[in-house]
Amino acid sequence: MTEEEKIKETQGEALKSIEEVCSDTWEAIYRFIYSKVQNRQEAEEITQETYVKALAYLQKNNIKIDKYTAYLKTISLNILRDKWRKNKRQGKVINIEAINPMEAAIDDVSEASAQRELVQNALDCLNEEQRLIVELRIIKGYSSIETARIMNKKEGTIRVIQYRALQRLSEILKNNELP
Amino acid sequence: MSNNEKNLSKYIDSLNEEKKPKEHVRKVESSELEELMDTVRLVKSLREPAMPASDYPDKIVRTVTNELSQKTEAKKISRGWFLGLSTTAAVIIMVIAISLTSSFGRNNIIYAMEQAFLDVKAYHGILEIKGMNAAGKDTIQAKLEVWADKDGRYYLKRIEGLQTGLTTVNNGQSKWQIRPDLKQVQIFPAFPDPYRFSFELGKEVKDVRNAIKTKQIGEEQVSGREAIVLEVLPQGGEAYKLWIDKETKLPLKKQSAMQNALQYTITYTDIDYIAAIPAELITYKLPAGFEEINTNTEQLVNNLQEAEEALGFEPKMPESIPTGYIRSSIAVELDTKLIKLYYTDKDKQSKVVILQGKAASSLKPASTAVLGRINSSIAEIQSPIEGNLGVLSGGGAYAGITNISSIRWQEDGFEYAVVGDVSIDVLNMFVEGIAGAKLQSSSEDDSLTAKPQITVPVDLAIEENEQKSVDAGHSPWKLDPVFVAQVFVSLQISPEGIVGDYPIKYEAMKVVQNNGKEAIVEVNDDKSPTSKVYLKKLIRQDSTGIWTVVGYDPIGK
């Protein structure tokens, strides 16, 4: 193999690597971030930033790893905490150097389904009107005007009930008041 | 308190619109509010996430390679996983630049337009449609007041030109048209909607993104605004020009290619980006003195049980649907005993309907349809839909709407159709969800295996002229292989010409194979000297291409 052929082959491998890593992992990373931020715009931004930061770090230190998804999730969480640090009281920033890329793993599948279960149970503890408004506004995504029309109430009333419902939900979840 | 209630409601709105709420950037003053926002996100996590556009993974790769190439420029890495990455990045950039066949400017403006459109919630404008003939004479065809939003809802009112006052509204649930000339309000199903207006911004942005080639060709002023002029070569069509506002990065004007000696220019002479269409415009109200004509026979139901009770059979649900689609509603047609499952994609730009009803008789495909197979049954594929047969005939004129395609088949005594303003490939994913197997389209075969016993010579120059004449709206029957075969066989019987009825009836002809380019029509009539007619689309192989007889099999030979 000539030197030129070797370079071409290496270039091909590296090209495949970035594309492969992204295409194999982006959906899991995006879904993970989305589960935290709950909006597409921010999930897209943080996913992109995660890849830039993670791959730059791996490249700089010449590290090859197997568990990309787990590592990328840790990095994304770090970025998110960093961004929200100023206005959040919770969540601590982990230094990127402190994450061991070979070991990082967040098993969020069972955690996510347990969380769903909890939220669903908490919703069932609300009264019918509160539950319906929370479902229409947040799960179905209707505007407050649309919700008002469906419930045959004023928009202001919807806002009040929705606020109280979320206060109640927050208490249930915080105090683990589930039946 | 009231402020907190409002802020919480706005926060929910932001998440519902898939936008980053300002509270994720700025500090939230009230700790209670912060807690409630956390709760909102927890509740919203019960909903499926909104997924990015299909080109998003490519965008990540592009950004990562660009960023890395900047960081590693002139730095040679000799070993490891990222071996040769910096040079690779350069190669990738080159490949991207070459494959896009245009400058980076193109990417930037298209990217900027996509990003700008993400921020648009709704818009209100005045749309002017001008026609220009081959001699260069301009005429205003129509002036419309347009209100439209991201969810595909719109309100259109003609304010100048023919039919002034004609108002068309689609609020996503139903569609109606106010006809001042007839003092009538006609009500239609919200989907399919053949009257989508000609310059819907979302569609324009999507078309540019999917175009084969886009080139920036200059800069001009449109309605007093600075604009960039793009030349866009769409998939399967003539190149057109699009003017993009330099400030808002959104389309302002579009000019079609000269077709049939007529060129259209559509301009937003005035446009504002707004939060929502005023509710009163998209709320149905019968004006005083007007009569309501309801052509919408479908009835929405809340769940499958209700549908089952109304129809008397258990509807089949798809096992899987393509990523990014959600079911938006379920409707039934009581007179035709049909269930309609409506699906929409995450951007609410495309809709797919699965129709199911008891099979009344064996499947008779539309004469113009391409034929395929699903499991062992014959399937009718129409792109666009030209014939409304079987379940397609129930409740809604699907035929004649250029961007709607369908796949129809029968299975276990039921007839199904998957209909939508999407590609056949996407429809096929829904088919797989219902039938458990994908459609096998005969168009995947290169050519039909059967050959005619007698070949009919053709003159390509004549066929080209015929095609032009059909393009101009003459002899539309040449687009129907059954009709072309019927005329051919009838002329064999009466070579002097056909007077009165055709000697061979249209119903006696049956398409046995059609792959979209070639077709075989069987003739079942004792009077016919021919048993099979072989046809080809010689000039153009799409739904606008004419059929020509290229051969036949005589009876008993």
Side-chain angles (χ1 to χ4, degrees), chain B residues 127-327:
Chain B
L127 197 58
E128 188 183 80
I129 305 173
K130 269 187 185 171
M132 190 173 78
N133 65 15
K137 192 174 180 296
D138 256 352
T139 42
I140 292 187
Q141 307 273 331
K143 220 174 203 184
L144 300 164
E145 182 181 8
V146 174
W147 298 82
D149 74 9
K150 272 287 229 336
D151 294 344
R153 290 180 285 215
Y154 64 80
Y155 169 99
L156 295 180
K157 187 174 185 180
R158 282 186 180 246
I159 50 176
E160 214 175 276
L162 281 174
Q163 297 258 22
T164 298
L166 176 77
T167 307
T168 312
V169 188
N170 188 334
N171 67 6
Q173 301 296 324
S174 64
K175 188 190 139 178
W176 62 95
Q177 195 165 48
I178 304 169
R179 301 276 308 261
D181 53 336
L182 303 172
K183 289 265 175 204
Q184 274 181 357
V185 178
Q186 294 171 347
I187 299 180
F188 306 94
F191 178 82
D193 186 354
Y195 303 99
R196 308 295 309 188
F197 60 103
S198 355
F199 202 20
E200 204 174 346
L201 294 185
K203 187 182 170 294
E204 294 308 324
V205 172
K206 198 168 155 189
D207 284 353
V208 171
R209 189 169 60 210
N210 295 335
I212 296 171
K213 196 174 159 185
T214 314
K215 195 165 74 182
Q216 185 175 329
I217 53 170
E219 290 185 9
E220 266 175 34
Q221 275 210 344
V222 178
S223 317
R225 303 185 66 89
E226 293 294 330
I228 290 169
V229 192
L230 291 184
E231 189 179 75
V232 184
L233 180 63
Q235 304 211 357
E238 301 264 349
Y240 62 89
K241 283 190 203 166
L242 193 68
W243 283 254
I244 316 282
D245 190 320
K246 269 179 120 173
E247 191 189 322
T248 64
K249 309 282 187 290
L250 290 164
L252 271 180
K253 177 175 164 182
K254 182 180 177 177
Q255 188 174 59
S256 70
M258 184 72 85
Q259 271 174 329
N260 295 332
L262 199 61
Q263 184 174 45
Y264 285 102
T265 309
I266 313 167
T267 315
Y268 276 107
T269 54
D270 194 6
I271 188 161
D272 286 319
Y273 302 97
I274 52 175
I277 307 174
E280 66 271 20
L281 292 181
I282 51 170
T283 309
Y284 179 72
K285 192 170 171 256
L286 185 68
F290 276 62
E291 183 195 0
E292 180 182 292
I293 312 282
N294 196 344
T295 61
N296 187 8
T297 51
E298 75 175 39
Q299 195 177 313
L300 287 176
V301 291
N302 293 312
N303 50 46
L304 282 180
Q305 283 73 29
E306 280 186 28
E308 191 177 339
E309 279 160 23
L311 299 172
F313 65 83
E314 189 188 345
K316 194 170 173 184
M317 295 294 290
E319 301 266 327
S320 61
I321 54 167
T323 321
Y325 280 83
I326 51 159
R327 196 178 71 214

Side-chain angles (χ1 to χ4, degrees), chain B residues 480-499:
Chain B
D480 180 347
V482 173
F483 215 140
V484 174
Q486 184 193 15
V487 171
F488 174 79
V489 177
S490 298
L491 282 173
Q492 279 185 319
I493 297 171
S494 330
E496 67 289 346
I498 305 153
V499 183

Side-chain angles (χ1 to χ4, degrees), chain A residues 79 90 103 164:
Chain A
I79 293 171
Q90 60 198 51
E103 287 171 6
R164 288 193 192 138

